[in-house]
Amino acid sequence: MKRVLLSLVLAMATPAALPAPADARPPAVIFDTDMDFDDAATLAYLAQEHKAGRIDLRAITVTNNGAGLPGRAIRHARCLAERLGLRNVWIADGTGTAPNSFPAELRQLFDRVLTAATPGCSGDETPSRPRAPELIRKVLRADPSAQVIATGPLSNLAGALPYSASRLTTMGGAVKVGGNLCCGTPPEFDGTQEFNYWLDPAAAQAVLTRSRGTVRMVPLDAANEVPITSAFIDRLGAGHRTPAADTVLEIVTHPEVQPLIAAGLLYWWDPLAAMSAVHPGHVEFTTGRLDVVLTGPSAGRTFLSPSGRLLWYGTTADTAAFEQRFLDTLNGTG
Protein backbone atom coordinates (compact mmCIF):
# COMPACT_ATOMS: atom_id res chain seq x y z
CA MET A 1 0.00 0.00 0.00
CA LYS A 2 2.82 2.41 0.86
CA ARG A 3 4.41 1.82 -2.56
CA VAL A 4 1.10 2.52 -4.34
CA LEU A 5 0.63 5.78 -2.41
CA LEU A 6 4.23 6.82 -3.07
CA SER A 7 3.83 6.18 -6.79
CA LEU A 8 0.67 8.28 -6.83
CA VAL A 9 2.43 11.13 -5.06
CA LEU A 10 5.36 10.98 -7.49
CA ALA A 11 3.01 10.89 -10.47
CA MET A 12 1.22 13.99 -9.21
CA ALA A 13 4.57 15.72 -8.68
CA THR A 14 5.93 14.93 -12.12
CA PRO A 15 5.74 18.00 -14.40
CA ALA A 16 4.90 15.85 -17.43
CA ALA A 17 1.76 14.56 -15.69
CA LEU A 18 0.24 18.04 -15.31
CA PRO A 19 -1.27 19.96 -18.23
CA ALA A 20 0.28 23.39 -18.68
CA PRO A 21 -1.98 26.46 -18.62
CA ALA A 22 -2.74 27.79 -22.08
CA ASP A 23 -0.90 31.06 -21.38
CA ALA A 24 2.14 29.44 -19.68
CA ARG A 25 5.62 30.27 -20.89
CA PRO A 26 7.41 27.40 -22.62
CA PRO A 27 9.78 25.57 -20.28
CA ALA A 28 13.38 26.74 -20.29
CA VAL A 29 15.75 23.95 -21.34
CA ILE A 30 19.47 23.29 -20.96
CA PHE A 31 20.75 20.68 -23.42
CA ASP A 32 23.85 18.92 -22.10
CA THR A 33 25.50 16.86 -24.83
CA ASP A 34 28.69 15.16 -25.99
CA MET A 35 27.99 15.91 -29.69
CA ASP A 36 27.67 12.37 -30.99
CA PHE A 37 25.80 11.77 -34.25
CA ASP A 38 22.47 11.34 -32.45
CA ASP A 39 23.18 14.30 -30.16
CA ALA A 40 23.36 16.38 -33.34
CA ALA A 41 20.02 14.93 -34.44
CA THR A 42 18.66 15.77 -31.00
CA LEU A 43 19.81 19.37 -31.33
CA ALA A 44 18.04 19.55 -34.70
CA TYR A 45 14.87 18.25 -33.03
CA LEU A 46 15.13 20.66 -30.09
CA ALA A 47 15.76 23.56 -32.45
CA GLN A 48 12.43 22.85 -34.12
CA GLU A 49 10.64 22.58 -30.77
CA HIS A 50 12.24 25.91 -29.81
CA LYS A 51 11.11 27.60 -33.02
CA ALA A 52 7.58 26.22 -32.52
CA GLY A 53 7.48 27.82 -29.06
CA ARG A 54 7.12 24.54 -27.17
CA ILE A 55 10.44 25.00 -25.35
CA ASP A 56 12.80 27.88 -24.68
CA LEU A 57 16.26 26.48 -25.42
CA ARG A 58 18.49 28.60 -23.20
CA ALA A 59 21.84 26.81 -23.31
CA ILE A 60 23.82 24.05 -25.01
CA THR A 61 26.54 22.63 -22.78
CA VAL A 62 29.09 20.26 -24.27
CA THR A 63 31.15 17.57 -22.56
CA ASN A 64 34.68 16.95 -23.80
CA ASN A 65 34.96 13.41 -22.43
CA GLY A 66 32.29 11.65 -24.45
CA ALA A 67 31.97 10.86 -28.14
CA GLY A 68 33.01 14.37 -29.18
CA LEU A 69 36.65 15.35 -29.35
CA PRO A 70 37.82 18.25 -27.17
CA GLY A 71 37.54 21.47 -29.14
CA ARG A 72 35.79 19.76 -32.01
CA ALA A 73 32.69 19.05 -29.90
CA ILE A 74 32.01 22.72 -29.18
CA ARG A 75 32.88 23.55 -32.78
CA HIS A 76 30.11 21.20 -33.92
CA ALA A 77 27.65 22.66 -31.42
CA ARG A 78 28.40 26.19 -32.62
CA CYS A 79 28.19 25.25 -36.28
CA LEU A 80 24.96 23.30 -35.84
CA ALA A 81 23.38 26.15 -33.90
CA GLU A 82 24.27 28.47 -36.78
CA ARG A 83 22.84 26.12 -39.40
CA LEU A 84 19.68 25.49 -37.37
CA GLY A 85 19.01 29.19 -36.81
CA LEU A 86 19.53 29.12 -33.04
CA ARG A 87 20.36 32.67 -32.00
CA ASN A 88 20.84 33.97 -28.49
CA VAL A 89 21.44 30.47 -27.14
CA TRP A 90 24.47 30.19 -24.86
CA ILE A 91 27.00 27.50 -25.77
CA ALA A 92 29.72 26.30 -23.40
CA ASP A 93 32.01 23.31 -23.03
CA GLY A 94 33.45 21.59 -19.99
CA THR A 95 36.99 20.91 -18.87
CA GLY A 96 36.57 17.60 -17.08
CA THR A 97 38.16 14.28 -17.88
CA ALA A 98 36.69 10.85 -17.22
CA PRO A 99 38.14 7.52 -16.10
CA ASN A 100 37.10 5.79 -19.32
CA SER A 101 37.43 6.87 -22.94
CA PHE A 102 35.10 6.59 -25.90
CA PRO A 103 36.63 4.42 -28.66
CA ALA A 104 39.08 6.59 -30.61
CA GLU A 105 38.04 5.32 -34.04
CA LEU A 106 34.38 6.12 -33.39
CA ARG A 107 35.28 9.59 -32.11
CA GLN A 108 37.15 10.30 -35.32
CA LEU A 109 34.33 8.86 -37.44
CA PHE A 110 31.62 10.96 -35.80
CA ASP A 111 33.84 14.02 -36.04
CA ARG A 112 34.01 13.50 -39.81
CA VAL A 113 30.24 12.98 -39.98
CA LEU A 114 29.41 16.19 -38.13
CA THR A 115 31.98 18.17 -40.09
CA ALA A 116 30.24 17.03 -43.26
CA ALA A 117 26.86 18.00 -41.80
CA THR A 118 28.00 21.60 -41.24
CA PRO A 119 29.38 22.63 -44.64
CA GLY A 120 30.78 26.12 -44.94
CA CYS A 121 31.26 26.56 -41.19
CA SER A 122 34.87 27.32 -40.32
CA GLY A 123 34.11 26.50 -36.70
CA ASP A 124 35.47 28.06 -33.54
CA GLU A 125 37.20 25.58 -31.23
CA THR A 126 38.07 28.16 -28.57
CA PRO A 127 37.11 26.97 -25.06
CA SER A 128 34.11 28.83 -23.75
CA ARG A 129 33.93 31.43 -21.02
CA PRO A 130 32.17 30.60 -18.77
CA ARG A 131 32.70 26.86 -18.78
CA ALA A 132 29.76 24.47 -18.89
CA PRO A 133 29.22 23.78 -15.16
CA GLU A 134 29.24 27.51 -14.40
CA LEU A 135 26.76 28.20 -17.21
CA ILE A 136 24.45 25.45 -15.95
CA ARG A 137 24.46 26.98 -12.47
CA LYS A 138 23.90 30.46 -13.93
CA VAL A 139 20.84 29.42 -15.95
CA LEU A 140 19.33 27.46 -13.06
CA ARG A 141 19.92 30.26 -10.58
CA ALA A 142 18.09 32.63 -12.90
CA ASP A 143 15.26 30.16 -13.53
CA PRO A 144 14.91 27.20 -11.12
CA SER A 145 11.96 25.99 -13.19
CA ALA A 146 14.31 25.19 -16.07
CA GLN A 147 14.71 21.61 -17.22
CA VAL A 148 17.90 19.79 -18.14
CA ILE A 149 18.12 17.24 -20.96
CA ALA A 150 21.42 15.34 -20.78
CA THR A 151 22.49 12.94 -23.52
CA GLY A 152 26.15 12.25 -22.76
CA PRO A 153 28.29 11.47 -19.73
CA LEU A 154 27.09 13.49 -16.75
CA SER A 155 30.42 15.18 -15.99
CA ASN A 156 29.23 18.75 -16.64
CA LEU A 157 26.21 18.29 -14.40
CA ALA A 158 28.31 16.70 -11.67
CA GLY A 159 30.62 19.72 -11.86
CA ALA A 160 27.61 22.01 -11.43
CA LEU A 161 26.35 20.35 -8.24
CA PRO A 162 24.62 21.39 -6.10
CA TYR A 163 21.92 22.78 -8.36
CA SER A 164 18.14 22.72 -8.51
CA ALA A 165 16.28 22.01 -11.74
CA SER A 166 12.58 21.29 -12.03
CA ARG A 167 13.44 18.12 -13.96
CA LEU A 168 16.44 16.28 -15.27
CA THR A 169 15.98 13.85 -18.15
CA THR A 170 19.09 11.79 -18.80
CA MET A 171 19.78 9.26 -21.53
CA GLY A 172 21.83 6.55 -19.89
CA GLY A 173 21.90 3.31 -18.02
CA ALA A 174 20.45 -0.14 -18.56
CA VAL A 175 18.20 -1.56 -15.86
CA LYS A 176 16.82 -4.91 -17.02
CA VAL A 177 18.68 -5.29 -20.31
CA GLY A 178 22.33 -5.66 -21.25
CA GLY A 179 24.69 -2.77 -21.93
CA ASN A 180 26.00 -1.49 -25.25
CA LEU A 181 29.79 -1.23 -24.89
CA CYS A 182 31.43 -2.15 -28.16
CA CYS A 183 33.99 -1.29 -30.75
CA GLY A 184 37.28 -1.58 -28.89
CA THR A 185 36.27 -0.79 -25.32
CA PRO A 186 38.62 -2.52 -22.85
CA PRO A 187 37.92 -6.25 -22.47
CA GLU A 188 38.04 -6.16 -18.67
CA PHE A 189 34.55 -4.63 -18.58
CA ASP A 190 31.66 -7.11 -18.59
CA GLY A 191 29.35 -5.34 -21.05
CA THR A 192 26.50 -4.71 -18.60
CA GLN A 193 27.02 -0.93 -18.88
CA GLU A 194 25.58 1.72 -21.15
CA PHE A 195 28.20 3.99 -22.73
CA ASN A 196 27.29 7.36 -21.16
CA TYR A 197 27.42 6.20 -17.55
CA TRP A 198 30.44 3.96 -18.16
CA LEU A 199 32.50 6.92 -19.32
CA ASP A 200 32.16 8.63 -15.93
CA PRO A 201 30.48 6.36 -13.34
CA ALA A 202 31.15 8.69 -10.39
CA ALA A 203 29.53 11.62 -12.20
CA ALA A 204 26.52 9.48 -13.09
CA GLN A 205 26.06 8.40 -9.47
CA ALA A 206 26.52 11.93 -8.13
CA VAL A 207 23.98 13.44 -10.52
CA LEU A 208 21.39 10.70 -10.12
CA THR A 209 21.57 10.76 -6.34
CA ARG A 210 22.15 14.45 -5.60
CA SER A 211 20.16 16.36 -8.23
CA ARG A 212 17.33 18.36 -6.74
CA GLY A 213 14.03 18.00 -8.53
CA THR A 214 12.49 15.19 -10.54
CA VAL A 215 14.98 12.81 -12.16
CA ARG A 216 13.96 10.74 -15.19
CA MET A 217 16.31 8.26 -16.80
CA VAL A 218 15.79 6.93 -20.32
CA PRO A 219 17.88 3.75 -20.31
CA LEU A 220 18.52 1.18 -23.01
CA ASP A 221 15.39 -0.63 -21.81
CA ALA A 222 13.38 2.03 -23.66
CA ALA A 223 15.93 3.24 -26.22
CA ASN A 224 16.39 -0.25 -27.67
CA GLU A 225 12.88 0.18 -29.09
CA VAL A 226 13.98 2.90 -31.53
CA PRO A 227 16.64 1.54 -33.91
CA ILE A 228 17.54 3.66 -36.93
CA THR A 229 16.04 1.85 -39.91
CA SER A 230 16.27 2.19 -43.67
CA ALA A 231 12.49 2.62 -43.78
CA PHE A 232 12.69 5.67 -41.52
CA ILE A 233 15.54 7.11 -43.60
CA ASP A 234 13.44 6.66 -46.75
CA ARG A 235 10.55 8.54 -45.13
CA LEU A 236 12.88 11.32 -44.02
CA GLY A 237 14.43 11.52 -47.48
CA ALA A 238 11.04 11.76 -49.15
CA GLY A 239 9.91 14.80 -47.23
CA HIS A 240 12.81 16.76 -45.77
CA ARG A 241 12.08 20.46 -46.00
CA THR A 242 13.91 22.29 -43.23
CA PRO A 243 17.56 22.75 -42.21
CA ALA A 244 16.84 20.45 -39.25
CA ALA A 245 15.54 17.64 -41.45
CA ASP A 246 18.36 18.19 -43.96
CA THR A 247 20.94 17.94 -41.18
CA VAL A 248 19.58 14.68 -39.81
CA LEU A 249 19.27 13.21 -43.29
CA GLU A 250 22.88 14.08 -44.11
CA ILE A 251 24.04 12.41 -40.89
CA VAL A 252 22.20 9.12 -41.39
CA THR A 253 23.07 8.87 -45.09
CA HIS A 254 26.76 9.57 -44.57
CA PRO A 255 28.72 6.73 -46.22
CA GLU A 256 30.50 5.88 -42.96
CA VAL A 257 27.27 5.79 -40.96
CA GLN A 258 25.28 3.65 -43.38
CA PRO A 259 27.16 0.39 -42.64
CA LEU A 260 26.62 0.88 -38.90
CA ILE A 261 22.89 1.31 -39.46
CA ALA A 262 22.78 -1.75 -41.72
CA ALA A 263 24.50 -3.76 -38.98
CA GLY A 264 21.83 -2.72 -36.47
CA LEU A 265 24.28 -0.84 -34.24
CA LEU A 266 22.73 2.64 -34.18
CA TYR A 267 19.61 3.85 -32.40
CA TRP A 268 17.78 7.11 -31.78
CA TRP A 269 18.94 7.00 -28.15
CA ASP A 270 19.17 10.74 -27.56
CA PRO A 271 16.22 12.05 -29.61
CA LEU A 272 13.95 9.64 -27.72
CA ALA A 273 15.13 10.99 -24.37
CA ALA A 274 14.65 14.59 -25.51
CA MET A 275 11.20 13.88 -26.91
CA SER A 276 10.15 12.22 -23.66
CA ALA A 277 11.01 15.46 -21.88
CA VAL A 278 8.96 17.62 -24.26
CA HIS A 279 6.03 15.32 -25.06
CA PRO A 280 4.76 12.78 -22.51
CA GLY A 281 3.62 9.41 -23.78
CA HIS A 282 6.41 8.22 -26.05
CA VAL A 283 8.28 6.50 -23.22
CA GLU A 284 6.60 4.46 -20.48
CA PHE A 285 8.12 5.22 -17.08
CA THR A 286 8.05 3.48 -13.75
CA THR A 287 9.66 4.28 -10.41
CA GLY A 288 12.52 2.50 -8.74
CA ARG A 289 15.52 3.07 -6.51
CA LEU A 290 18.63 3.06 -8.68
CA ASP A 291 22.34 3.22 -8.03
CA VAL A 292 25.49 3.07 -10.16
CA VAL A 293 28.41 0.63 -9.86
CA LEU A 294 31.56 2.73 -9.45
CA THR A 295 34.44 0.27 -9.91
CA GLY A 296 35.34 -3.15 -11.28
CA PRO A 297 34.15 -5.01 -14.38
CA SER A 298 30.61 -3.63 -14.04
CA ALA A 299 31.64 0.02 -13.49
CA GLY A 300 28.93 2.30 -14.84
CA ARG A 301 26.13 -0.27 -14.59
CA THR A 302 22.83 0.94 -13.18
CA PHE A 303 21.01 -1.40 -10.85
CA LEU A 304 17.96 -1.44 -8.59
CA SER A 305 18.99 -1.10 -4.96
CA PRO A 306 17.10 -0.44 -1.69
CA SER A 307 19.62 2.29 -0.92
CA GLY A 308 19.43 3.93 -4.35
CA ARG A 309 17.75 7.21 -5.36
CA LEU A 310 14.04 6.94 -6.07
CA LEU A 311 13.58 8.14 -9.64
CA TRP A 312 11.64 7.50 -12.82
CA TYR A 313 13.14 5.20 -15.44
CA GLY A 314 11.86 4.21 -18.87
CA THR A 315 10.83 0.63 -19.52
CA THR A 316 9.68 0.75 -23.15
CA ALA A 317 8.92 3.16 -25.97
CA ASP A 318 6.24 3.59 -28.63
CA THR A 319 8.33 3.19 -31.78
CA ALA A 320 5.72 4.27 -34.33
CA ALA A 321 4.62 7.31 -32.35
CA PHE A 322 8.21 8.40 -31.77
CA GLU A 323 9.15 8.09 -35.44
CA GLN A 324 6.08 10.01 -36.62
CA ARG A 325 6.56 12.88 -34.20
CA PHE A 326 10.28 13.00 -34.92
CA LEU A 327 9.61 13.29 -38.66
CA ASP A 328 6.81 15.83 -38.23
CA THR A 329 8.87 18.00 -35.88
CA LEU A 330 11.97 17.94 -38.06
CA ASN A 331 9.85 18.91 -41.08
CA GLY A 332 8.02 21.66 -39.17
CA THR A 333 4.61 20.03 -39.66
CA GLY A 334 3.99 18.79 -36.13
Side-chain angles (χ1 to χ4, degrees):
M1 184 62 180
K2 288 182 179 179
R3 180 175 177 81
V4 172
L5 290 173
L6 181 58
S7 295
L8 288 172
V9 170
L10 281 170
M12 292 174 65
T14 304
L18 301 176
D23 59 347
R25 293 180 304 155
V29 170
I30 300 169
F31 178 43
D32 188 65
T33 169
D34 64 346
M35 277 291 106
D36 200 341
F37 81 96
D38 62 325
D39 297 75
T42 303
L43 183 54
Y45 164 77
L46 291 174
Q48 292 294 91
E49 295 284 17
H50 176 78
K51 291 178 181 178
R54 290 185 285 264
I55 66 170
D56 177 8
L57 186 59
R58 297 277 181 87
I60 303 164
T61 54
V62 181
T63 65
N64 279 326
N65 54 14
L69 293 163
R72 298 295 294 168
I74 193 168
R75 177 266 179 204
H76 297 320
R78 288 164 171 158
C79 288
L80 285 165
E82 179 182 311
R83 182 176 187 185
L84 297 168
L86 291 172
R87 299 174 179 83
N88 302 316
V89 175
W90 288 314
I91 302 175
D93 62 343
T95 59
T97 58
N100 299 309
S101 300
F102 204 84
E105 288 188 10
L106 285 182
R107 287 183 116 186
Q108 295 289 345
L109 185 155
F110 292 133
D111 180 65
R112 294 192 294 273
V113 170
L114 296 189
T115 300
T118 51
C121 179
S122 58
D124 182 0
E125 299 184 18
T126 306
S128 66
R129 292 288 184 272
R131 305 315 298 269
E134 183 182 347
L135 178 58
I136 291 168
R137 287 192 295 265
K138 177 179 179 179
V139 173
L140 293 177
R141 280 196 302 266
D143 187 354
S145 68
Q147 301 179 26
V148 179
I149 299 172
T151 58
L154 298 179
S155 309
N156 284 339
L157 291 174
L161 289 168
Y163 63 82
S164 179
S166 66
R167 183 170 67 197
L168 163 66
T169 301
T170 165
M171 191 283 126
V175 182
K176 296 184 179 179
V177 300
N180 64 349
L181 297 190
C182 72
C183 316
T185 51
E188 60 264 29
F189 294 100
D190 61 16
T192 59
Q193 310 92 326
E194 179 274 333
F195 254 116
N196 285 340
Y197 291 1
W198 169 77
L199 288 165
D200 197 342
Q205 186 193 57
V207 171
L208 293 181
T209 58
R210 294 170 54 196
S211 293
R212 299 169 185 167
T214 302
V215 176
R216 304 192 322 160
M217 185 176 80
V218 181
L220 297 180
D221 306 56
N224 284 349
E225 300 295 323
V226 288
I228 302 177
T229 65
S230 58
F232 178 90
I233 295 171
D234 289 343
R235 293 172 66 194
L236 180 61
H240 62 104
R241 63 190 71 183
T242 66
D246 291 344
T247 298
V248 176
L249 183 63
E250 289 166 17
I251 289 170
V252 294
T253 56
H254 189 281
E256 292 186 88
V257 172
Q258 283 282 290
L260 300 177
I261 295 173
L265 296 176
L266 300 186
Y267 293 75
W268 294 120
W269 298 289
D270 298 344
L272 178 69
M275 188 180 294
S276 79
V278 181
H279 296 286
H282 296 84
V283 174
E284 183 175 324
F285 288 91
T286 190
T287 57
R289 293 189 177 276
L290 274 90
D291 206 341
V292 181
V293 177
L294 294 180
T295 60
S298 299
R301 178 170 67 88
T302 48
F303 64 101
L304 293 166
S305 168
S307 61
R309 161 76 177 267
L310 185 63
L311 51 76
W312 294 88
Y313 68 91
T315 58
T316 190
D318 187 331
T319 308
F322 162 78
E323 290 186 343
Q324 189 61 56
R325 186 177 289 277
F326 193 30
L327 284 169
D328 291 344
T329 304
L330 290 175
N331 284 320
T333 58

